[in-house]
Amino acid sequence: MAPALATGAATLTGYSMLLRALFWTATIVAIVMAVLPHPPELHVSDKLQHMAAFVVMTALAVAAYPRTELLRIAERLTLVGAVIEVVQSIPALHRDCDIRDLLADCLAIGAVMAIVILYRRLDPEASA
């Protein structure tokens, strides 16, 4: 069993700390890639890139912060997507602000949340 780290009323196991580190790493990488003036070319649709990033971030957030309300996680990740779009509107970055990118982010967040809600309803112990 992994050692626990006391944080107030809750304890974090090594597994929980790993999930949180992965979430924050994925989030930072996504933000940096989104605001680079010349990001690497991936030869994949921009919308698919957004959706993949937000599927990963949402899944990691739900796993890393299991006691946080799903609506709060969705709200915060939507805010991240909106801020990315606002930053991309800065002319010096040579990026394009596109509301459809934010919609793709929200679709990805919603899809993961729907799967999590369904999973938790089918397995009540999963949300405990």
Side-chain angles (χ1 to χ4, degrees), residues 66-114:
R67 293 188 175 164
T68 303
E69 294 177 37
L70 295 179
L71 185 58
R72 180 166 294 207
I73 291 171
E75 168 199 51
R76 301 296 162 83
L77 288 173
T78 300
L79 179 61
V80 169
V83 169
I84 286 171
E85 292 309 311
V86 169
V87 171
Q88 285 183 340
S89 71
I90 298 171
L93 293 178
H94 303 290
R95 300 296 298 261
D96 295 320
C97 174
D98 186 351
I99 191 69
R100 293 172 295 184
D101 289 344
L102 180 57
L103 293 175
D105 301 343
C106 291
L107 181 63
I109 294 165
V112 172
M113 291 300 179

Side-chain angles (χ1 to χ4, degrees), residues 36-87:
L36 282 176
H38 303 291
E41 185 67 36
L42 297 179
H43 305 292
V44 178
S45 162
D46 178 55
K47 305 304 174 263
L48 287 177
Q49 291 177 35
H50 275 264
M51 292 180 79
F54 277 85
V55 161
V56 170
M57 289 189 302
T58 305
L60 286 172
V62 169
Y65 297 95
R67 293 188 175 164
T68 303
E69 294 177 37
L70 295 179
L71 185 58
R72 180 166 294 207
I73 291 171
E75 168 199 51
R76 301 296 162 83
L77 288 173
T78 300
L79 179 61
V80 169
V83 169
I84 286 171
E85 292 309 311
V86 169
V87 171

